[in-house]
Amino acid sequence: MGWKAIAATPTFVVAVLAGLSAALMYAIAAPYIKKKLAGVPSLVITTGSQLGAAFLLLPALPFTVPQQTPPVNVVISVIALALLSTAFAYILYFRLIQNVGSTKALTVTYLIPLFAMFWGAIALKEAITMSMIVGCSLVLLGTGIANDLLVVRLYSRPKA
């Protein structure tokens, strides 16, 4: 990342399209879930979502076979991430959609870079720069405004 030019190779274009498609699917899925799956327990929605994703990824399996067997600690780490991070996060996410609505629930995705920066600093000893702090502050401000935690008045109300 940065201000340098990026070559628009086919791989780059596919990656950008995949990222934009994922964002579009999130934008479509959240209101759909709120409208069509009201009353369905978040665990059921999460299970269906994860199993559906696994089923769709099955055709790619033959092309992603590792050249060597991963160590046991790597396998355990991947399983822990799948269960404790992804599955648990989806349960909370779908519950948020049902409780606060799709628009407010989607704002939690803005917090991902903040937590990535936090865990990178703790686990990998990555440096936190001033631009990262400013960026995270803006993300928190925007998230707070979108969730009605901060009221920004751009006009004054007439006195009654």
Side-chain angles (χ1 to χ4, degrees), residues 1 7 14 16 39 47 78 82 89 98-100 105 110 117 121 128 134 136 147:
M1 288 308 301
V14 168
V16 168
T47 303
V78 169
Q98 292 173 344
N99 292 339
V100 300
Y110 300 142
M117 180 186 77
I128 295 178
V134 170
C136 285
N147 285 294

Side-chain angles (χ1 to χ4, degrees), residues 1-158:
M1 288 308 301
W3 295 107
K4 54 188 171 204
I6 298 173
T9 63
T11 304
F12 174 79
V13 172
V14 168
V16 168
L17 290 175
L20 291 174
S21 297
L24 178 65
M25 292 300 118
Y26 263 100
I28 292 170
Y32 180 85
I33 289 166
K34 176 71 175 170
K35 185 175 183 177
K36 300 289 186 179
L37 299 177
V40 177
S42 55
L43 181 59
V44 172
I45 300 171
T46 300
T47 303
S49 173
Q50 296 300 294
L51 290 175
F55 181 74
L56 288 173
L57 289 172
L58 278 177
L61 192 58
F63 305 104
T64 59
V65 176
Q67 294 179 357
Q68 61 187 17
T69 304
V72 174
N73 64 334
V74 170
V75 173
I76 291 170
S77 296
V78 169
I79 291 170
L81 279 173
L83 295 177
L84 302 175
S85 180
T86 306
F88 183 67
Y90 269 118
I91 290 170
L92 294 177
Y93 175 66
F94 291 128
R95 186 166 292 159
L96 266 177
I97 290 174
Q98 292 173 344
N99 292 339
V100 300
S102 57
T103 303
K104 288 183 178 181
L106 281 172
T107 61
V108 301
T109 60
Y110 300 142
L111 302 177
I112 293 170
L114 186 139
F115 282 98
M117 180 186 77
F118 174 74
W119 289 115
I122 289 175
L124 303 174
K125 307 291 187 246
E126 293 178 347
I128 295 178
T129 65
M130 183 53 74
S131 62
M132 292 166 78
I133 293 170
V134 170
C136 285
S137 299
L138 291 173
V139 167
L140 287 172
L141 177 65
T143 303
I145 292 170
N147 285 294
D148 298 326
L149 299 175
L150 300 170
V151 177
V152 178
R153 296 191 193 258
L154 300 176
Y155 63 92
S156 61
R157 293 184 182 191

